[in-house]
Amino acid sequence: MSHARSEPEVHSRRVSLHIGASPEAAWKNVVRHWLERIGTRILQAKKPAAVVTASRSQAYFFRSRLLAEGKSLLAVKFLSPPQLRELLLRDGGQRVPLREHLRLILTVTAEEFASKSTDDKTVLVAKSIARDADRFLRALDELRAAGWTFDEIESPALREIAARFEQRVHECGFTFVHDADRAARAHAQPLFSNLLLFGFDAAHWPLWPLLHAATLRADKATVVLSDPRDEARDLDEAWVGTWEETFGPAEVIPGTNGESTASSVESLLVPASNVHFVIGRDTTQQARAIVALAAKFLADSHCERLGILFSGPGALPRLVATFLESAGIAHNDGIAHLAPSAFDDDAWRAWLELQQTPRLKPLFRLLRVIEGRIFDELPVLKIEETLRRAYNDMLIDDIELLRDYCANGSDLRHGNAAARELEKIQVLPENATLAEFLSHTRTIFSKLRWREHWNELERLSRNWSDLLPGNFSKSSYLRWLRELLGAPTLERDDLGLHPYARVHLLAYGNAQGQPWSHLIFAGLNDEAWPALNDELAFIRDEQIDELNRQNKTLNRRASKRGRQGEGHCSLRDGKTLLLGPNEQRQIRRRQLFDLVESVSTGIAASASLYSEALPSRIANPSEFFSWLYFNTHGRGVSQQTLHSLEQQTRDWLKDWSPVDAQKVDSISVGRTGYAFDARRQLRPAGEYEFALRSPLDQEKSLRVTQWEQALRWPAIVWMEIFLGVEPDDDTGDAWAIATGQWVHRWLAHSVENGEKRKFVGVDRADEIRERIWKEAREFRERLAALCSGRGKVLPDWWRSGWSNALYIADCLAAKVSDLHDWSEMAVEYSLGEPSLIPLSEKETLRVRGRIDLILARAKSDQSQIGYKDLWVVDYKTGRQRGFSLKELRKKDTPQRKFRKQLIDGRGVQLALYALAVHALGAEHVQLTLLSPAEQLEPQFHLDDVLVQKDFWSELHRMQETGVFGMLGPVHTDFGFARSYPLATLPIDIDLLKEKWALTHPAFVLEEEEKVK
């Protein structure tokens, strides 16, 4: 343990300390005189003079005062702490790493421990750190900033990881920022002729080594300190005492106009009539109220500086800045909003997703945004179509296997071309060293023509990437890449770039240390303000208190009783206070009261009535809001008070707004409102409800499956047909789809010999079964060979699914082999493109599709299909039940039951097949929906279909007019609902049913109409 300092610093005769409670008094008695003196001497000085402030807004305040007095600013450099550090370390030779580099090194270290340690507890801890290193890194930063070693961490596993992490950082040639700050004290050569430090207090303990070094590097230095307050007295006294212990006693700054320099707020200094409270029902209403208050304050002749304070970035400051911009109010947006970096575009995000998950969907996203950059042989749409077919064939979406399948798939039209194009899309290895990852990345970026990406990455990894040994995971490397190249930038609106404007948007921690005429404390809800940082991880509060107690020592430097009395506290050399949650609360409470004291004319406070996280719950106001309200009105804040304030705010605002952006085109608003209301009126579907205003000139034809879906999800089918957008359904039903496709393909290949629409003898059923087994085995062996070529194996789940599909195909073939009274059969029989179904002289339904199985007998030369008598069979590989028109309920008929099934979207596909083959000359048609559990027997006939004339006429009307409408829920908590490809507001389900009946009367049973 280092000993307490017994002598002041050598340069203390050149350092003057000043202490006071009022920023206005500090400006008039210290800062202004310092700037005037520097202005007259700087031309003769060989070294620059600098002002270092805790926040940029304080520097803007000084500059605005100088400009108002007509004084020059050329003589002085205004610096922030990061800029000061850059100057001090410029010639020191230390390399301070980026935060992103430290996170990567810590992650690599943790992964190494997780892979090599035999202790289960250590493995779990290491995996946790590797998954999210930032929290542990913050704990290490705060320990190092306070001057303590990692030995203070209680967990042995954490201590070991921290020690190894420190070693690796040094091996890479880096120096921790706080070590660099302390090392800067060793440089004796002065950097500044004159230095002024202003606005720093106990909240800035981590900056003490930096400020100490800067003070020693100046010929003359002036430090302005703040009086300790009761809310954080111990912390502030230690801060002031350490400065006095190092550089001598501080001189008291006299108050202005006889004001006391004491720092105590027992009641508001602003008249109660100038304190305003507004409550917004939501964030937008609160932002409107804040802008209205700002306009009200700006109209006051005493308004010189107006601060609007927030807990930090978020929706509220963004809305306020936007409204101020639209209202034409110039302001200084000290919070700003995050905007994507120059590299963070759709292509970059898609590439990262593909590297993290090299599967089909991420690949499609990447292909769509980089098409013109690397592909020259095949359009992206063709590549997508080929890959979808390949995936549907093999049910494995591994990119490498899909590429190999395309290259070897003779049945894929563009397979070879798609495979060659996909060779340009490379994937990073799962594990590698940093140097190897960078080498692969350079190759990939070169193919993508991302030269700027690589130049920036190479610049940031130069001179240290080869020094980081050991393999680590691809996910950690991608996280580092995302942080480096995708780090968001801060942006402001055009009118938010005025540092000398009267209006300032600031975080409350950056608003202190300067006078204000008006302040608006925004977002004062318990859940949002004041927001505390996460607690110091891995170190208990009691341990933090003990470390801080070890730091303090009596200030034996004082030769007389000072303003703070005997027993000044200071910290041991090389140490700072470790600020835990308790210390942060004390500091932020003190900051709030400092801000209240700094206001001369008016104060306002705003909050939301309802919680953002749970909109149905009342959001409690913060303790500061309650304190402010009590000191203004002499009573507490209840929920009734909040409701009353919200009503008053709403009445005050009414329809008025200073924001021009809210005065949008009334025609657009009217049209939107009209569409919203039209969708909720009980009338047939119109142009705002998935219906065309007038029929299209070109003819549309739907697949038979689309017609079946149109009776369940008409809006989704309408968007697919007329807008060309399809839902990205990820229902987890890929197995059912793949099984159906495999079964259909094996059955088709077992019959056809390269000819479509060919009939063969039913007596060849046993031969067909053998072909099915052969086809299925060849398919399995083909995929197994592809996997083996990539060092992979077919997953067990795939083999299980393949076995199930083979069983289903064999069952279906076996059912056909038992038939003896049918002579011919055809599988996968394609209809025309499209097939025309005449309903009447003026009505023709156009459909497309492919029939799974047709059994035929009674040849006929007059029939285009060649037979009079047909049996149409549709395979279903799932658990869907067939049709039975014999099992009837009371007062039910086969015709009515079949009609109800059609209206529900069942049997439409088979019925349309019956109409299509009837149009081709078939006179007798029987139909069956066949599943493995069902017997192959007729379920309904052509006559049952023909009798439903008005049903088919209604489908024709939908085809010709494009009027579909909407039916069913948009979202459902239970059960299945297809996702909509475009954002769609839900409508009441019962209302949709009534509108559906008005739009399509033929889709409603007679009894239902009578009930309505």
Side-chain angles (χ1 to χ4, degrees):
M1 183 70 68
S2 58
H3 299 287
R5 292 175 291 265
S6 58
E7 295 294 336
E9 296 284 359
V10 176
H11 290 274
S12 62
R13 64 185 182 278
R14 301 177 181 176
V15 179
S16 59
L17 306 181
H18 303 267
I19 188 169
S22 167
E24 186 68 31
W27 161 257
K28 291 183 177 179
N29 295 293
V30 180
V31 178
R32 183 167 62 179
H33 295 319
W34 186 91
L35 291 170
E36 290 175 350
R37 186 179 76 252
I38 295 302
T40 60
R41 301 179 182 178
I42 193 63
L43 296 178
Q44 291 79 29
K46 296 182 179 180
K47 293 183 287 292
V51 176
V52 183
T53 56
S55 67
R56 291 185 180 274
S57 61
Q58 293 169 341
Y60 294 151
F61 164 66
F62 293 156
R63 291 181 176 183
S64 64
R65 284 291 179 93
L66 287 175
L67 289 174
E69 296 178 5
K71 293 184 171 60
S72 173
L73 298 175
L74 297 177
V76 182
K77 287 185 176 180
F78 287 86
L79 303 175
S80 63
Q83 292 170 328
L84 175 64
R85 177 178 289 115
E86 184 179 354
L87 285 176
L88 293 180
L89 302 182
R90 179 176 296 173
D91 301 324
Q94 295 101 340
R95 293 172 54 204
V96 177
L98 294 177
R99 190 81 180 170
E100 293 81 0
H101 297 347
L102 289 177
R103 277 195 288 265
L104 176 64
I105 296 173
L106 181 55
T107 299
V108 173
T109 304
E111 286 187 1
E112 179 186 11
F113 272 82
S115 62
K116 295 182 178 180
S117 178
T118 57
D119 180 56
D120 292 341
K121 186 175 181 180
T122 301
V123 170
L124 291 176
V125 170
K127 286 183 177 180
S128 176
I129 295 175
R131 191 173 296 113
D132 182 11
D134 195 60
R135 186 173 176 83
F136 187 49
L137 184 58
R138 287 203 305 271
L140 300 182
D141 280 345
E142 293 178 14
L143 271 178
R144 298 195 67 87
W148 298 99
T149 66
F150 299 149
D151 294 336
E152 308 302 333
I153 301 176
E154 289 185 287
S155 168
L158 290 176
R159 282 201 306 271
E160 192 175 356
I161 293 174
R164 178 60 179 144
F165 164 65
E166 182 179 23
Q167 180 183 350
R168 281 200 159 174
V169 170
H170 292 153
E171 289 174 353
C172 291
F174 292 134
T175 303
F176 288 103
V177 62
H178 302 294
D179 293 341
D181 289 347
R182 290 182 172 89
R185 293 169 48 185
H187 296 276
Q189 185 176 3
L191 187 62
F192 306 105
S193 60
N194 286 272
L195 179 69
L196 173 64
L197 301 181
F198 183 89
F200 297 96
D201 53 31
H204 305 97
W205 267 115
L207 295 178
W208 160 248
L210 176 67
L211 301 177
H212 186 188
T215 306
L216 297 177
R217 299 288 299 276
D219 292 334
K220 291 185 178 181
T222 301
V223 183
V224 180
L225 304 171
S226 298
D227 257 339
R229 297 187 62 97
D230 290 339
E231 292 78 19
R233 182 164 295 279
D234 289 345
L235 302 174
D236 287 335
E237 285 181 349
W239 176 260
V240 173
T242 301
W243 279 98
E244 291 186 323
E245 173 73 10
T246 307
F247 297 109
E251 179 182 347
V252 178
I253 301 174
T256 59
N257 300 325
E259 294 179 357
S260 171
T261 61
S263 299
S264 176
V265 175
E266 297 179 357
S267 61
L268 293 176
L269 304 179
V270 175
S273 59
N274 290 347
V275 181
H276 307 273
F277 298 89
V278 292
I279 297 290
R281 192 173 187 84
D282 53 26
T283 304
T284 302
Q285 189 182 56
Q286 186 184 173
R288 287 184 60 213
I290 291 170
V291 174
L293 281 170
K296 177 183 176 68
F297 286 160
L298 290 172
D300 188 346
S301 59
H302 297 94
C303 183
E304 296 180 356
R305 300 185 80 236
L306 166 60
I308 306 177
L309 311 185
F310 304 90
S311 61
L316 184 59
R318 182 72 188 100
L319 280 173
V320 171
T322 301
F323 290 170
L324 289 173
E325 170 79 13
S326 301
I329 299 176
H331 57 283
N332 170 42
D333 189 355
I335 294 180
H337 61 274
L338 297 179
S341 72
F343 303 111
D344 190 10
D345 54 11
D346 292 339
W348 172 248
R349 289 189 292 271
W351 182 83
L352 287 174
E353 184 183 6
L354 175 63
Q355 295 299 327
Q356 188 70 55
T357 311
R359 302 294 178 185
L360 203 57
K361 286 186 178 180
L363 175 63
F364 286 163
R365 295 191 185 99
L366 180 63
L367 295 182
R368 291 164 189 164
V369 293
I370 66 170
E371 174 182 6
R373 304 184 191 179
I374 61 174
F375 297 145
D376 48 22
E377 185 175 351
L378 202 63
V380 164
L381 291 179
K382 292 293 183 182
I383 296 177
E384 282 195 24
E385 179 184 349
T386 304
L387 290 176
R388 288 186 191 278
R389 288 188 57 194
Y391 172 72
N392 292 334
D393 284 351
M394 59 189 299
L395 198 64
I396 297 176
D397 62 350
D398 182 278
I399 300 300
E400 293 179 336
L401 296 180
L402 282 170
R403 184 167 54 210
D404 294 344
Y405 186 84
C406 289
N408 299 318
S410 58
D411 54 340
L412 294 175
R413 181 178 177 184
H414 303 290
N416 290 326
R420 286 192 296 271
E421 295 287 28
L422 287 181
E423 289 291 341
K424 302 173 183 178
I425 305 295
Q426 298 183 11
V427 179
L428 294 169
E430 289 299 320
N431 292 278
T433 64
L434 179 57
E436 292 169 346
F437 273 130
L438 289 172
S439 177
H440 284 287
T441 304
R442 181 176 186 177
T443 302
I444 294 173
F445 283 5
S446 176
K447 289 183 178 293
L448 294 174
R449 302 175 186 174
W450 284 355
R451 180 179 300 176
E452 294 80 6
H453 292 67
W454 171 251
N455 289 341
E456 180 67 7
L457 181 60
E458 195 273 336
R459 181 184 70 84
L460 295 174
S461 60
R462 190 181 303 153
N463 299 329
W464 71 274
S465 57
D466 293 334
L467 302 177
L468 184 62
N471 290 359
F472 60 97
S473 66
K474 177 174 65 176
S475 60
S476 298
Y477 174 73
L478 291 175
R479 188 188 312 141
W480 177 67
L481 277 186
R482 185 181 294 109
E483 293 172 353
L484 273 186
L485 301 184
T489 58
L490 291 178
E491 284 193 1
R492 297 167 176 83
D493 297 324
D494 291 339
L495 289 180
L497 297 169
H498 294 268
Y500 305 128
R502 288 193 292 169
V503 181
H504 296 259
L505 275 59
L506 300 169
Y508 67 91
N510 294 330
Q512 64 175 4
Q514 51 196 302
W516 300 95
S517 62
H518 297 78
L519 277 182
I520 300 176
F521 295 87
L524 289 177
N525 288 103
D526 242 354
E527 61 186 19
W529 213 95
L532 289 174
N533 294 333
D534 293 338
E535 294 188 1
L536 187 57
F538 315 106
I539 304 176
R540 293 180 289 107
D541 288 352
E542 297 81 3
Q543 192 176 2
I544 294 174
D545 293 338
E546 178 60 30
L547 293 176
N548 287 340
R549 278 194 295 270
Q550 294 178 30
N551 271 1
K552 295 179 181 178
T553 183
L554 288 178
N555 186 355
R556 295 187 295 270
R557 173 77 174 75
S559 58
K560 62 179 182 180
R561 184 186 179 103
R563 292 176 62 255
Q564 302 173 49
E566 295 182 357
H568 284 187
C569 288
S570 69
L571 297 188
R572 299 181 185 276
D573 191 20
K575 296 289 191 292
T576 68
L577 282 185
L578 190 60
L579 300 180
N582 293 331
E583 289 77 15
Q584 292 181 29
R585 291 189 184 94
Q586 295 174 23
I587 290 172
R588 298 193 177 187
R589 182 177 174 82
R590 185 255 294 155
Q591 289 174 339
L592 291 174
F593 290 119
D594 277 344
L595 291 170
V596 171
E597 278 191 347
S598 66
V599 182
S600 61
T601 305
I603 292 177
S606 74
S608 290
L609 180 62
Y610 293 105
S611 167
E612 288 188 15
L614 298 171
S616 60
R617 183 175 64 85
I618 298 292
N620 292 327
S622 68
E623 179 184 351
F624 178 69
F625 185 98
S626 301
W627 175 88
L628 198 60
Y629 190 86
F630 180 83
N631 278 273
T632 303
H633 298 287
R635 60 180 183 274
V637 179
S638 63
Q639 287 196 2
Q640 183 179 359
T641 304
L642 295 177
H643 281 284
S644 176
L645 287 173
E646 191 273 331
Q647 181 64 48
Q648 293 173 18
T649 302
R650 193 158 11 106
D651 293 341
W652 176 55
L653 291 174
K654 292 184 180 178
D655 296 329
W656 171 86
S657 172
V659 184
D660 293 334
Q662 294 183 358
K663 300 174 185 177
V664 295
D665 184 4
S666 59
I667 296 179
S668 300
V669 172
R671 182 68 65 184
T672 303
Y674 179 81
F676 182 90
D677 295 336
R679 295 185 64 209
R680 288 157 180 81
Q681 292 176 1
L682 186 56
R683 65 183 190 184
E687 59 183 304
Y688 301 108
E689 301 164 275
F690 308 100
L692 298 180
R693 182 183 300 175
S694 58
L696 295 177
D697 295 333
Q698 64 184 78
E699 294 182 346
K700 292 286 185 181
S701 61
L702 277 68
R703 299 190 303 273
V704 290
T705 52
Q706 286 178 319
W707 275 123
E708 193 161 276
Q709 294 169 1
L711 294 164
R712 302 176 188 175
W713 305 289
I716 295 178
V717 175
W718 185 89
M719 286 189 277
E720 181 180 349
I721 297 301
F722 296 101
L723 301 183
V725 292
E726 299 182 27
D728 187 16
D729 284 332
D730 188 9
T731 62
D733 205 24
W735 260 124
I737 297 173
T739 299
Q741 291 183 343
W742 291 350
V743 170
H744 284 74
R745 186 170 72 246
W746 295 339
L747 287 170
H749 290 176
S750 67
V751 174
E752 65 184 32
N753 293 314
E755 297 183 32
K756 302 286 185 180
R757 307 175 69 171
K758 179 181 178 181
F759 284 86
V760 299
V762 174
D763 55 0
R764 296 171 54 191
D766 292 335
E767 177 187 346
I768 291 173
R769 293 182 67 181
E770 292 179 3
R771 288 187 178 183
I772 289 175
W773 278 83
K774 179 182 179 183
E775 185 81 18
R777 289 194 185 100
E778 289 178 352
F779 175 65
R780 182 190 62 187
E781 296 305 321
R782 179 184 173 190
L783 290 190
L786 289 178
C787 292
S788 177
R790 292 288 182 177
K792 303 174 183 179
V793 295
L794 270 178
D796 291 338
W797 57 263
W798 192 95
R799 293 178 179 273
S800 174
W802 172 86
S803 300
N804 180 59
L806 178 57
Y807 166 76
I808 293 173
D810 186 62
C811 285
L812 295 176
K815 295 180 189 297
V816 176
S817 65
D818 294 335
L819 299 175
H820 302 290
D821 52 348
W822 293 86
S823 59
E824 306 291 330
M825 70 181 213
V827 297
E828 301 297 315
Y829 188 93
S830 296
L831 300 176
E833 290 294 334
S835 178
L836 303 180
I837 302 175
L839 303 176
S840 66
E841 292 183 3
K842 298 182 179 180
E843 295 180 340
T844 301
L845 197 61
R846 298 179 294 274
V847 299
R848 292 176 286 118
R850 188 168 55 186
I851 302 174
D852 294 342
L853 171 66
I854 299 180
L855 298 171
R857 62 189 177 190
K859 287 189 176 183
S860 173
D861 296 334
Q862 297 178 354
S863 172
Q864 297 181 36
I865 203 169
Y867 300 88
K868 289 183 180 180
D869 200 355
L870 299 179
W871 189 352
V872 175
V873 180
D874 185 35
Y875 299 137
K876 295 298 178 186
T877 56
R879 298 181 180 180
Q880 186 172 348
R881 294 181 57 189
F883 301 97
S884 176
L885 302 184
K886 299 177 181 180
E887 300 176 2
L888 304 177
R889 295 183 179 180
K890 212 173 198 182
K891 297 182 180 181
D892 211 351
T893 64
Q895 180 180 342
R896 187 179 184 281
K897 181 176 182 180
F898 185 56
R899 177 63 165 270
K900 187 176 185 303
Q901 290 177 334
L902 291 177
I903 291 173
D904 292 339
R906 295 190 63 225
V908 176
Q909 182 178 353
L910 264 178
L912 288 172
Y913 286 154
L915 292 175
V917 296
H918 177 59
L920 293 176
E923 298 179 3
H924 305 286
V925 183
Q926 55 191 30
L927 303 108
T928 299
L929 182 69
L930 182 61
S931 64
E934 300 279 347
Q935 295 298 321
L936 182 55
E937 57 186 18
Q939 296 171 353
F940 62 98
H941 298 80
L942 176 62
D943 293 340
D944 298 316
V945 177
L946 293 175
V947 77
Q948 307 290 342
K949 292 182 179 179
D950 57 342
F951 182 88
W952 307 118
S953 294
E954 186 63 27
L955 289 189
H956 175 265
R957 191 173 73 86
M958 293 173 66
Q959 168 190 278
E960 297 302 315
T961 62
V963 176
F964 279 46
M966 184 176 179
L967 192 65
V970 175
H971 308 287
T972 179
D973 294 331
F974 306 98
F976 168 72
R978 291 188 66 187
S979 59
Y980 279 62
L982 299 177
T984 305
L985 290 177
I987 308 294
D988 181 73
I989 302 299
D990 294 331
L991 177 60
L992 285 178
K993 291 179 180 179
E994 294 183 64
K995 292 173 69 69
W996 180 255
L998 294 175
T999 307
H1000 306 290
F1003 297 159
V1004 181
L1005 294 177
E1006 293 181 1
E1007 290 187 5
E1008 293 180 0
E1009 291 179 344
K1010 292 179 181 179
V1011 170
K1012 294 175 182 176

